[in-house]
mmCIF file of all heavy atoms in Angstrom:
data_model
loop_
_atom_site.group_PDB
_atom_site.id
_atom_site.type_symbol
_atom_site.label_atom_id
_atom_site.label_comp_id
_atom_site.label_asym_id
_atom_site.label_seq_id
_atom_site.Cartn_x
_atom_site.Cartn_y
_atom_site.Cartn_z
ATOM 1 N N ALA L 226 -12.100 -0.605 -21.309
ATOM 2 C CA ALA L 226 -13.378 -0.308 -20.723
ATOM 3 C C ALA L 226 -13.215 0.133 -19.315
ATOM 4 O O ALA L 226 -12.248 -0.342 -18.552
ATOM 5 C CB ALA L 226 -14.274 -1.494 -20.783
ATOM 6 N N VAL L 227 -14.069 1.049 -18.799
ATOM 7 C CA VAL L 227 -14.049 1.561 -17.516
ATOM 8 C C VAL L 227 -14.874 0.628 -16.613
ATOM 9 O O VAL L 227 -16.091 0.350 -16.934
ATOM 10 C CB VAL L 227 -14.604 3.005 -17.412
ATOM 11 C CG1 VAL L 227 -14.608 3.464 -15.955
ATOM 12 C CG2 VAL L 227 -13.750 3.933 -18.272
ATOM 13 N N VAL L 228 -14.340 0.185 -15.480
ATOM 14 C CA VAL L 228 -15.071 -0.747 -14.562
ATOM 15 C C VAL L 228 -14.970 -0.130 -13.213
ATOM 16 O O VAL L 228 -13.962 0.473 -12.848
ATOM 17 C CB VAL L 228 -14.404 -2.148 -14.582
ATOM 18 C CG1 VAL L 228 -15.312 -3.137 -13.820
ATOM 19 C CG2 VAL L 228 -14.163 -2.590 -15.966
ATOM 20 N N ARG L 229 -16.087 -0.229 -12.435
ATOM 21 C CA ARG L 229 -16.237 0.300 -11.191
ATOM 22 C C ARG L 229 -16.619 -0.745 -10.146
ATOM 23 O O ARG L 229 -17.409 -1.601 -10.433
ATOM 24 C CB ARG L 229 -17.223 1.490 -11.126
ATOM 25 C CG ARG L 229 -16.915 2.595 -11.946
ATOM 26 C CD ARG L 229 -17.998 3.637 -12.049
ATOM 27 N NE ARG L 229 -17.729 4.731 -12.979
ATOM 28 C CZ ARG L 229 -17.031 5.863 -12.622
ATOM 29 N NH1 ARG L 229 -16.628 5.962 -11.313
ATOM 30 N NH2 ARG L 229 -16.777 6.796 -13.520
ATOM 31 N N HIS L 230 -16.083 -0.555 -8.921
ATOM 32 C CA HIS L 230 -16.564 -1.423 -7.799
ATOM 33 C C HIS L 230 -16.795 -0.499 -6.558
ATOM 34 O O HIS L 230 -15.987 0.298 -6.218
ATOM 35 C CB HIS L 230 -15.377 -2.458 -7.443
ATOM 36 C CG HIS L 230 -15.894 -3.495 -6.441
ATOM 37 N ND1 HIS L 230 -16.125 -3.117 -5.079
ATOM 38 C CD2 HIS L 230 -16.260 -4.749 -6.561
ATOM 39 C CE1 HIS L 230 -16.564 -4.201 -4.485
ATOM 40 N NE2 HIS L 230 -16.718 -5.219 -5.340
ATOM 41 N N PRO L 231 -17.961 -0.582 -6.067
ATOM 42 C CA PRO L 231 -18.320 0.276 -4.929
ATOM 43 C C PRO L 231 -17.551 -0.039 -3.722
ATOM 44 O O PRO L 231 -17.115 -1.200 -3.517
ATOM 45 C CB PRO L 231 -19.837 0.148 -4.828
ATOM 46 C CG PRO L 231 -20.084 -1.260 -5.316
ATOM 47 C CD PRO L 231 -19.078 -1.458 -6.414
ATOM 48 N N ALA L 232 -17.421 0.995 -2.792
ATOM 49 C CA ALA L 232 -16.858 0.641 -1.509
ATOM 50 C C ALA L 232 -17.811 -0.161 -0.631
ATOM 51 O O ALA L 232 -19.025 0.018 -0.739
ATOM 52 C CB ALA L 232 -16.422 1.973 -0.849
ATOM 53 N N PHE L 233 -17.289 -1.023 0.206
ATOM 54 C CA PHE L 233 -18.148 -1.701 1.182
ATOM 55 C C PHE L 233 -18.605 -0.774 2.339
ATOM 56 O O PHE L 233 -17.661 -0.045 2.902
ATOM 57 C CB PHE L 233 -17.410 -2.942 1.711
ATOM 58 C CG PHE L 233 -17.282 -4.071 0.762
ATOM 59 C CD1 PHE L 233 -16.137 -4.217 0.017
ATOM 60 C CD2 PHE L 233 -18.283 -4.953 0.584
ATOM 61 C CE1 PHE L 233 -15.967 -5.246 -0.902
ATOM 62 C CE2 PHE L 233 -18.191 -6.052 -0.411
ATOM 63 C CZ PHE L 233 -17.084 -6.165 -1.112
ATOM 64 N N PRO L 234 -19.771 -0.809 2.779
ATOM 65 C CA PRO L 234 -20.160 0.088 3.847
ATOM 66 C C PRO L 234 -19.746 -0.559 5.229
ATOM 67 O O PRO L 234 -19.962 -1.672 5.557
ATOM 68 C CB PRO L 234 -21.725 0.067 3.810
ATOM 69 C CG PRO L 234 -22.049 -1.372 3.175
ATOM 70 C CD PRO L 234 -20.933 -1.583 2.215
ATOM 71 N N VAL L 235 -18.980 0.262 5.952
ATOM 72 C CA VAL L 235 -18.403 -0.139 7.266
ATOM 73 C C VAL L 235 -18.450 1.082 8.210
ATOM 74 O O VAL L 235 -18.587 2.258 7.683
ATOM 75 C CB VAL L 235 -17.033 -0.720 7.241
ATOM 76 C CG1 VAL L 235 -17.010 -2.068 6.477
ATOM 77 C CG2 VAL L 235 -16.032 0.298 6.690
ATOM 78 N N ASP L 236 -18.381 0.871 9.505
ATOM 79 C CA ASP L 236 -18.267 1.971 10.411
ATOM 80 C C ASP L 236 -16.750 2.364 10.465
ATOM 81 O O ASP L 236 -15.898 1.647 11.028
ATOM 82 C CB ASP L 236 -18.723 1.555 11.842
ATOM 83 C CG ASP L 236 -20.210 1.257 11.861
ATOM 84 O OD1 ASP L 236 -20.939 1.979 11.123
ATOM 85 O OD2 ASP L 236 -20.708 0.473 12.651
ATOM 86 N N VAL L 237 -16.491 3.482 9.900
ATOM 87 C CA VAL L 237 -15.113 3.869 9.752
ATOM 88 C C VAL L 237 -14.473 4.465 10.958
ATOM 89 O O VAL L 237 -15.084 5.393 11.528
ATOM 90 C CB VAL L 237 -14.920 4.882 8.470
ATOM 91 C CG1 VAL L 237 -13.525 5.447 8.461
ATOM 92 C CG2 VAL L 237 -15.372 4.270 7.229
ATOM 93 N N VAL L 238 -13.426 3.960 11.455
ATOM 94 C CA VAL L 238 -12.710 4.439 12.610
ATOM 95 C C VAL L 238 -11.462 5.185 12.147
ATOM 96 O O VAL L 238 -11.165 6.350 12.622
ATOM 97 C CB VAL L 238 -12.310 3.338 13.600
ATOM 98 C CG1 VAL L 238 -11.400 3.844 14.636
ATOM 99 C CG2 VAL L 238 -13.515 2.686 14.147
ATOM 100 N N ASP L 239 -10.716 4.683 11.170
ATOM 101 C CA ASP L 239 -9.475 5.302 10.691
ATOM 102 C C ASP L 239 -9.098 4.763 9.347
ATOM 103 O O ASP L 239 -9.098 3.571 9.109
ATOM 104 C CB ASP L 239 -8.320 4.863 11.708
ATOM 105 C CG ASP L 239 -6.971 5.437 11.294
ATOM 106 O OD1 ASP L 239 -6.905 6.282 10.438
ATOM 107 O OD2 ASP L 239 -5.964 4.943 11.939
ATOM 108 N N THR L 240 -9.016 5.611 8.387
ATOM 109 C CA THR L 240 -8.660 5.340 6.984
ATOM 110 C C THR L 240 -7.094 5.151 6.725
ATOM 111 O O THR L 240 -6.795 4.750 5.653
ATOM 112 C CB THR L 240 -9.228 6.360 6.031
ATOM 113 O OG1 THR L 240 -8.558 7.643 6.271
ATOM 114 C CG2 THR L 240 -10.768 6.505 6.142
ATOM 115 N N THR L 241 -6.296 5.297 7.725
ATOM 116 C CA THR L 241 -4.803 5.191 7.610
ATOM 117 C C THR L 241 -4.517 3.818 7.096
ATOM 118 O O THR L 241 -4.893 2.762 7.723
ATOM 119 C CB THR L 241 -4.134 5.509 8.895
ATOM 120 O OG1 THR L 241 -4.488 6.725 9.352
ATOM 121 C CG2 THR L 241 -2.639 5.378 8.670
ATOM 122 N N GLY L 242 -3.802 3.696 5.986
ATOM 123 C CA GLY L 242 -3.329 2.376 5.535
ATOM 124 C C GLY L 242 -4.332 1.643 4.711
ATOM 125 O O GLY L 242 -4.100 0.463 4.320
#
Side-chain angles (χ1 to χ4, degrees):
V227 178
V228 190
R229 299 175 181 272
H230 190 286
F233 287 96
V235 293
D236 293 328
V237 175
V238 173
D239 178 12
T240 59
T241 304

